Amino acid sequence: MTQIKNAMEIFQLLDKSNCGECGDKTCLAFAASVFKGQKSIDECPKLDREIIERYSDCSGNHNIVDQNRDEHLKMLKDQIAGLDLAAQAKKTGGRFLDGKLTIKILGKSFSVDQEGNIYTDIHVNPWVAIPFLNYIIDGEGLSPTGNWVSFRDLKDGKEGYPLFRKRCEEPMKRVADIYTPLFDDMVHLFNAKQVDEEFESDISVILYPFPKVPVMVCYWMPEDGLASSLNVYFDETADKNLDNGAIFTLGAGLAQMFEKLAVRHGYSEAEFHN
Ligand code: SF4
């Protein structure tokens, strides 16, 4: 079975004509439906039979999505076994002690041992685990330059940006619109930092999902008839320290985490999906 790690990988297989014959308005929307298991990949009439056969197991079934994720995680764990964790700790801004590499993710310690086992005090979501292992295995360890760019300016980001907007920036904006103290929570719970003056919006913070992959979230409140807006920026080195799929997973995962945080503060999930 061919592994699919995220909706963008499905999108790359499509013809990108947005012809609508699958019933979705765009190829991106179709890719997201397939990844979520709501549609089967063979509902796009423009795909070659060979691609449909290769990927048909990856669509129309939530269990298959979970299975793909588990298999991907297992593959990453196997790769950890062949790594020099002490050297990777230096490269990635972590530390190496007692056979474990430890880095801070949003201010919380996450460790991995040579067998790929992950240790932390908090629940390990797949959206954290996969980028975490990818950061350790493939990250070049480049230090951030302080030049902020949008997801679309990163490697392979242009085509995937509409989906990133839909899965990360739009849901985050909905949370910020309804639950504006979110930004205070980010500062206090996730060790976020205030941004330099030149990038200031109404509310803006820098989060550190990984030591060398800062993420800046800028929110503008509605004003004088203008709608609110929210943008997420990455350091220009982000695509050297994480692959494109991992950056996407991270952004979508952060948005989900913020939704859960707001729900914990008494807001109903329905409010974010209206
Ligand atoms: S039918 Fe295929 S090419 Fe047309 S919009 Fe749907 S996914 Fe895209």
Side-chain angles (χ1 to χ4, degrees):
M1 182 178 64
T2 306
Q3 287 188 1
I4 289 286
K5 302 189 287 269
N6 56 51
M8 277 167 59
E9 289 192 7
I10 298 168
F11 176 66
Q12 299 301 342
L13 303 171
L14 304 174
D15 122 324
K16 306 180 183 74
S17 62
N18 300 329
C19 69
E21 286 181 46
C22 56
D24 278 321
K25 281 194 187 141
T26 63
C27 298
L28 274 170
F30 177 73
S33 305
V34 172
F35 185 67
K36 285 191 278 182
Q38 294 165 345
K39 284 207 164 153
S40 166
I41 200 159
D42 60 8
E43 289 175 62
C44 169
K46 306 221 164 164
L47 281 176
D48 291 341
R49 179 56 35 203
E50 190 259 326
I51 290 189
I52 290 175
E53 276 165 16
R54 185 146 33 108
Y55 290 91
S56 59
D57 279 351
C58 301
S59 57
N61 185 329
H62 286 288
N63 291 335
I64 295 292
V65 173
D66 289 345
Q67 197 179 327
N68 279 327
R69 196 181 283 143
D70 290 348
E71 284 181 15
H72 182 52
L73 208 47
K74 187 176 173 310
M75 191 185 77
L76 292 172
K77 286 181 174 186
D78 290 345
Q79 282 178 265
I80 289 280
L83 282 183
D84 177 348
L85 287 185
Q88 293 308 106
K90 275 194 198 143
K91 208 167 151 184
T92 54
R95 69 190 157 81
F96 182 72
L97 192 67
D98 297 333
K100 291 181 194 152
L101 186 169
T102 300
I103 63 168
K104 293 274 187 195
I105 299 183
L106 298 170
K108 311 275 185 300
S109 290
F110 276 69
S111 305
V112 63
D113 66 16
Q114 205 70 64
E115 280 78 50
N117 299 310
I118 297 174
Y119 304 85
T120 179
D121 290 343
I122 57 173
H123 173 67
V124 184
N125 287 309
W127 72 262
V128 172
I130 290 174
F132 171 52
L133 296 179
N134 175 255
Y135 176 71
I136 290 166
I137 295 165
D138 292 324
E140 291 183 22
L142 295 189
S143 295
T145 60
N147 289 328
W148 296 101
V149 297
S150 155
F151 181 85
R152 71 177 151 246
D153 300 317
L154 295 172
K155 185 168 178 280
D156 299 331
K158 204 166 174 201
E159 288 185 331
Y161 179 68
L163 192 57
F164 179 81
R165 177 130 199 95
K166 197 168 169 185
R167 292 293 194 81
C168 174
E169 291 178 325
E170 287 176 7
M172 262 191 208
K173 185 181 93 63
R174 285 196 293 272
V175 175
D177 284 343
I178 293 166
Y179 177 57
T180 312
L182 165 73
F183 291 89
D184 266 348
D185 281 354
M186 285 197 221
V187 171
H188 295 112
L189 297 174
F190 308 122
N191 252 4
K193 305 221 170 6
Q194 304 293 338
V195 306
D196 294 340
E197 220 174 280
E198 60 187 299
F199 295 114
E200 259 177 22
S201 52
D202 285 341
I203 311 179
S204 36
V205 292
I206 298 176
L207 292 157
Y208 281 83
F210 300 109
K212 295 189 174 181
V213 184
V215 175
M216 180 162 71
V217 184
C218 297
Y219 177 65
W220 288 265
M221 293 180 177
E223 194 183 14
D224 297 335
L226 288 176
S228 62
S229 66
L230 184 146
N231 291 101
V232 173
Y233 298 96
F234 297 90
D235 191 84
E236 63 180 350
T237 55
D239 53 9
K240 305 282 190 311
N241 292 330
L242 274 182
D243 72 27
N244 178 276
I247 294 172
F248 177 88
T249 303
L250 191 64
L254 284 172
Q256 272 176 27
M257 184 178 76
F258 295 156
E259 271 186 11
K260 283 192 181 145
L261 194 64
V263 168
R264 235 185 286 148
H265 281 77
Y267 293 83
S268 86
E269 278 187 56
E271 287 180 84
F272 304 120
H273 299 283
N274 285 334

